[in-house]
Amino acid sequence: MKVSHDTVAATYSVTAYKAGEITVAPPGIAPDAGGRSADERAVKHLSRSFLLLPDRLIEEWPPERFEELREEHLALLLDLNPEVALIGTGAAFRFPDPAVTAPLHAAGIGVEVMDTAAACRTFNILASEGRRVAAALLML
């Protein structure tokens, strides 16, 4: 008899990242009896920018490129009330114009800017700790 301890994520998690595609597993995905990992069975392979929270995936997020990111794109995060917002700027680390993130700062939301790969890793860590985190992930 094979006995193993399956840990089931209670939150969305990023299971793979490569330039132009992020794989996201929904809450409750664990390896199955055939040994397939959550990555192999994840329901979303996303190739455009999106917002991710521990309990919610918002695929319809307008900016496609870092250069298109505007204040109104991050305004949705104000309604979601995260404790920290991660902004993944694509393959390269770039700072957005301070006016873009000013409303988040004014609302007392912590803002961290990093390349998208780092934002994916950071999201997983913070979400697994039970933190109210939101990730705004740009592909390009």
Side-chain angles (χ1 to χ4, degrees):
M1 172 192 287
K2 182 178 177 181
V3 178
S4 65
H5 176 69
D6 287 338
T7 56
V8 178
T11 67
Y12 276 96
S13 62
V14 176
T15 59
Y17 170 82
K18 64 180 179 182
E21 184 179 281
I22 298 174
T23 305
V24 176
I29 295 292
D32 66 6
R36 291 182 302 160
S37 69
D39 181 46
E40 294 166 323
R41 297 181 301 119
V43 295
K44 297 291 181 183
H45 297 275
L46 302 161
S47 59
R48 66 176 316 273
S49 302
F50 63 96
L51 299 175
L52 185 62
L53 291 92
D55 62 349
R56 190 168 176 192
L57 170 63
I58 302 170
E59 294 181 60
E60 300 300 320
W61 191 52
E64 285 296 319
R65 310 178 70 76
F66 174 81
E67 296 77 17
E68 297 171 2
L69 185 62
R70 303 285 179 264
E71 180 182 330
E72 59 267 18
H73 297 134
L74 296 178
L76 178 57
L77 296 178
L78 294 171
D79 294 332
L80 299 171
N81 194 32
E83 128 187 33
V84 63
L86 307 174
I87 301 173
T89 60
F93 171 73
R94 299 172 277 187
F95 276 111
D97 185 302
V100 171
T101 58
L104 297 173
H105 290 293
I109 297 170
V111 177
E112 296 292 334
V113 179
M114 56 197 76
D115 65 64
T116 297
C120 290
R121 292 187 301 270
T122 304
F123 174 84
N124 283 348
I125 292 167
L126 295 177
S128 73
E129 293 174 349
R131 305 274 300 273
R132 288 186 345 259
V133 60
L137 301 172
L138 293 157
M139 295 293 184
L140 305 171

